[in-house]
Amino acid sequence: IVLWLVDMAIRPIWNPKGLEEGLISRSRMKIRNYDTEAAELYPLGTNLHQTCVAGPGMLMHFNFQLAVIVWAVFVALVWMALATFVDADLWRLGTRKYGTPRDNCILVAWGYETQQRLMWTKMLFLWIVYIGTMVMLIFYGIFQWRKHQSLDIEYKTIKDFALVLMGLPELPGTRSLEEDLKVAVAAWSGETVVGVSVAWRFKDKSDDIDELMFMNLKQRLAECDREPTDVDTTPPDMNAFRKFLWTTEQKVFGLVPEESESPAAKWDTPAIKGLLLGLKSSERAVVVFDTEEAAESG
């Protein structure tokens, strides 16, 4: 790993345009504080137990990590208290070294006698940890639930504007189901409906759908590719060690082109249309309203 890092540091750059685009993309993926004028990065000392940096899930996850640390400290303090105030042999059980056969016999006899004599402390330790853990879990669950409620009130998310319809019949993709549902819900509720998204059953066709989406993504990336066509991105000559590292990187990161049939040759417009029209709708659909009040009244 050290050799690989050193090689990466001294390796020449033969695709500066790609490097620039990669750095820009990485910068755009960083979490920023959009409450500031320049959308600055969050400072390193940000309290992730109080500041909602990347949604309620991350905040509550850090609360969980803190709870685990507090629980571990609680267990350690209970054992330390028993060893300090009851019997110091609790520090030594299982830690004494063995030696000659005579010393081993003495050690085994001492360990058995001490273990039996202090068995009540172990039982007391287990009861304290069990009851303490149960009480802490109850308070932790209440705290997390209240925290989630307060965050839900403080921040507006997509679920505040959406409702989930249940119990829809299974319908084919040959009809404009989403538009029909949009009109029906708007007429029934009297509210403005932004749109409806139907959940389709495509488990049996998931491989074909994934292949089509990947093909569409490649086409869109090719359309917006701003790299000049006269730029040579061919890697220069490399020694055997660097070539081995470079080839391994291509395989690990999935950059080696697959030797298979092009999806574009397999999927033409009639085939794509036939696949989509053959799908069946599920019993669920998501309805998005223009305001939170409309979603609540709906």
Side-chain angles (χ1 to χ4, degrees):
I1 295 179
V2 174
L3 293 177
W4 176 70
L5 292 175
V6 172
D7 182 76
M8 288 289 291
I10 63 176
R11 187 179 301 179
I13 300 173
W14 61 78
N15 186 7
K17 184 64 177 179
L19 176 61
E20 180 184 357
E21 293 289 339
L23 293 176
I24 294 175
S25 177
R26 185 187 69 169
S27 178
R28 289 174 177 172
M29 289 188 291
K30 294 178 181 179
I31 300 176
R32 298 180 178 274
N33 185 3
Y34 290 98
D35 292 335
T36 60
E37 183 176 354
E40 301 174 351
L41 296 174
Y42 283 92
L44 187 61
T46 301
N47 186 354
L48 297 179
H49 302 286
Q50 299 294 334
T51 306
C52 194
V53 172
M58 174 172 283
L59 188 147
M60 299 179 72
H61 174 67
F62 277 96
N63 286 343
F64 167 75
Q65 291 184 334
L66 178 61
V68 172
I69 295 174
V70 171
W71 176 83
V73 172
F74 163 74
V75 173
L77 289 177
V78 171
W79 186 259
M80 291 173 61
L82 291 175
T84 302
F85 299 107
V86 176
D87 197 312
D89 284 339
L90 291 172
W91 295 110
R92 292 187 287 271
L93 276 175
T95 62
R96 299 181 64 176
K97 296 182 179 180
Y98 62 89
T100 63
R102 177 177 178 276
D103 293 337
N104 291 343
C105 291
I106 296 174
L107 180 61
V108 170
W110 174 86
Y112 176 79
E113 187 276 332
T114 305
Q115 185 183 45
Q116 297 301 314
R117 177 170 54 86
L118 297 176
M119 185 61 69
W120 68 272
T121 59
K122 295 183 179 181
M123 296 301 298
L124 177 62
F125 170 78
L126 292 177
W127 275 108
I128 294 175
V129 171
Y130 179 81
I131 296 175
T133 300
M134 182 179 65
V135 172
M136 286 191 293
L137 283 176
I138 292 174
F139 280 99
Y140 168 75
I142 296 174
F143 172 78
Q144 287 285 75
W145 174 243
R146 294 300 185 188
K147 190 66 177 179
H148 180 270
Q149 288 179 323
S150 65
L151 291 173
D152 186 50
I153 295 173
E154 182 178 358
Y155 294 95
K156 301 296 183 183
T157 59
I158 184 62
K159 75 182 187 67
D160 294 319
F161 301 86
L163 293 178
V164 178
L165 294 180
M166 304 287 292
L168 298 176
E170 185 178 276
L171 298 173
T174 53
R175 57 180 295 183
S176 56
L177 182 57
E178 295 179 336
E179 187 63 29
D180 294 344
L181 284 175
K182 177 181 177 181
V183 174
V185 173
W188 173 78
S189 64
E191 303 290 347
T192 303
V193 178
V194 177
V196 176
S197 178
V198 176
W200 298 90
R201 301 184 186 276
F202 70 101
K203 183 177 181 180
D204 297 337
K205 304 291 185 179
S206 59
D207 293 338
D208 294 334
I209 298 295
D210 291 342
E211 187 177 47
L212 285 173
M213 295 186 66
F214 180 72
M215 182 182 71
N216 181 264
L217 177 62
K218 290 185 64 176
Q219 292 175 350
R220 291 176 180 271
L221 289 176
E223 292 173 0
C224 66
D225 189 7
R226 300 184 300 273
E227 183 177 351
T229 56
D230 57 345
V231 176
D232 184 14
T233 59
T234 305
D237 294 335
M238 296 177 281
N239 56 47
F241 179 70
R242 177 170 292 175
K243 187 175 182 180
F244 167 75
L245 293 177
W246 185 78
T247 305
T248 304
E249 294 166 10
Q250 304 299 300
K251 294 179 180 179
V252 170
F253 296 110
L255 302 178
V256 179
E258 298 182 359
E259 298 179 358
S260 59
E261 181 184 3
S262 174
K266 177 182 177 182
W267 295 104
D268 53 11
T269 301
I272 297 175
K273 187 175 180 179
L275 173 65
L276 298 179
L277 294 180
L279 297 178
K280 302 293 185 180
S281 65
S282 68
E283 63 175 6
R284 299 186 180 186
V286 178
V287 182
V288 180
F289 295 87
D290 62 339
T291 63
E292 184 179 3
E293 291 73 17
E296 292 177 352
S297 63

